[in-house]
Amino acid sequence: MPATDRGGPRARLHVAVLLPCHNEGIAIGRVVRAFRAALPDATVFVFDNNSTDDTVAEARAAGAVVRTETQQGKGHVVRRMFRDIDADYYVMADGDDTYDASLAPRLLDIAQRGPYDLVNCVRVETAQEAYRGGHRFGNLMLTGAVRFIFGDRVEDMLSGYKILSRRFVKSFPALSTGFDIETELAVHALELSIPIAHEQGSYRGRPPGSESKLRTYQDGWRILKMILKLVRHERPLAFFGAIGLACAVVATALIIPVLVTYLHTGLVPRLPTAVLATGIMLVGALSLTTGIILDTVTRGRRELRLLAYLGLPAPAVPDEAARQTIDE
């Protein structure tokens, strides 16, 4: 049941395996063969992102359909994949051979039985070198921040191994350019209350000679900025309200001594301080007003995204006969 490029027929259930790659020539052939063995009826797409090694040749030799995205960054690649490939379910993984391809049928089964629009593979390390210490801490911190702000229905937010339904993919307005795309995917699911499931899967170290493209500090800072941007866009009342509250506290702290002096002497000897406190309080009031207005705008944008999501068919659910066959 191969997947097709946009515009092709969709008479039966189509599954597409999407592998974004940049200089993964050492591992990509093994990854493609593993997914073809695990999902023989699926089409494996490798999206090359300006590789300078033999990634393209190795992917084609292993039987993958190769596409190209010239804008550098995982976010650009994911946007291109979601736009160009049409399928009922999408299996998205990395091309570095760190994920267990044999888990894909189980993840697809969970997605169909729910049905779930997002099934996230929660990584379980099988080797000490699978995670660098900075990556592990950053993942916990950033996932915790998203869970605190947007909801606790997401685990291991930065995992690159996911099952996505067609209506999730086609209603997702990808705006990220780099590894912060994982954060945007998670927040999209949380904000629209999309059905999510999680399943643990092994996560191993890269093969010898392969290097991670994730930069611990630079990409961690990029992801943190994305979280702050999403808070501003999706929670404007909380974001601008917090700024307004901070301004009110500072203005109050500045004006109290001036008021005390005025009550005792009837004079305002610190006029510049009084003017400054008034200005800060006005900034706080403007910030709160901005948050109230943008909160209404955000609600309208969320409703439009939800309507786009609901305008697409729900994920396929296997009938009872198929369920019994799977169980057997």
Side-chain angles (χ1 to χ4, degrees), residues 2 49 70 107 134 166 168 270-271 277 292:
N49 193 207
T70 58
L107 298 178
R166 183 174 186 271
F168 183 104
R270 298 167 60 187
L271 182 60
I292 293 172

Side-chain angles (χ1 to χ4, degrees), residues 120-123 131 139 143 154-159 162:
N120 192 49
C121 179
V122 179
R123 293 169 289 184
Y131 262 136
N139 184 33
T143 299
V154 63
E155 301 174 20
D156 194 8
M157 177 186 71
L158 300 183
S159 171
K162 308 175 188 295

Side-chain angles (χ1 to χ4, degrees), residues 106-286:
R106 170 62 180 162
L107 298 178
L108 277 170
D109 182 33
I110 293 173
Q112 286 187 270
R113 285 172 175 266
Y116 295 104
D117 291 294
L118 169 62
V119 180
N120 192 49
C121 179
V122 179
R123 293 169 289 184
V124 178
E125 296 175 68
T126 58
Q128 185 64 32
E129 68 275 10
Y131 262 136
R132 292 208 297 264
H135 290 181
R136 186 184 296 107
F137 173 75
N139 184 33
L140 290 174
M141 182 188 71
L142 295 170
T143 299
V146 169
R147 286 169 61 88
F148 176 76
I149 297 169
F150 296 100
D152 60 359
R153 294 192 305 121
V154 63
E155 301 174 20
D156 194 8
M157 177 186 71
L158 300 183
S159 171
Y161 196 5
K162 308 175 188 295
I163 306 295
L164 305 164
S165 72
R166 183 174 186 271
R167 66 176 178 177
F168 183 104
V169 166
K170 298 304 182 182
S171 66
F172 175 61
L175 300 175
S176 304
T177 60
F179 286 101
D180 44 347
I181 187 69
E182 311 289 358
T183 305
E184 197 176 3
L185 284 165
V187 172
H188 177 71
L190 293 172
E191 283 298 277
L192 297 189
S193 297
I194 287 173
I196 305 172
H198 298 87
E199 179 73 2
Q200 291 188 340
S202 62
Y203 184 72
R204 52 184 175 262
R206 283 173 163 267
S210 176
E211 296 182 358
S212 174
K213 313 305 181 298
L214 181 64
R215 299 164 299 176
T216 303
Y217 299 106
Q218 294 92 327
D219 288 313
W221 174 242
R222 181 193 292 269
I223 293 168
L224 183 59
K225 287 194 297 182
M226 170 56 69
I227 293 174
L228 293 175
K229 183 186 296 184
L230 290 170
V231 171
R232 188 183 68 199
H233 289 170
E234 304 296 339
R235 297 283 193 275
L237 184 56
F239 182 84
F240 289 100
I243 295 176
L245 178 61
C247 289
V249 170
V250 171
T252 301
L254 289 173
I255 202 64
I256 284 177
V258 177
L259 286 176
V260 171
T261 302
Y262 175 76
L263 292 175
H264 281 85
T265 66
L267 301 174
V268 185
R270 298 167 60 187
L271 182 60
T273 301
V275 173
L276 176 62
T278 303
I280 293 176
M281 185 63 77
L282 287 174
V283 170
L286 287 173

Side-chain angles (χ1 to χ4, degrees), residues 88 173 269 274:
D88 294 297

Side-chain angles (χ1 to χ4, degrees), residues 59-95:
R60 284 179 175 152
V65 178
V66 179
R67 298 284 184 266
T68 301
E69 172 54 51
T70 58
Q71 296 185 87
Q72 195 65 43
K74 186 175 181 179
H76 290 301
V77 179
V78 170
R79 182 161 50 248
R80 182 67 176 268
M81 294 191 304
F82 287 1
R83 182 177 64 217
D84 289 359
I85 304 303
D86 193 18
D88 294 297
Y89 285 98
Y90 301 79
V91 181
M92 189 167 74
D94 295 333

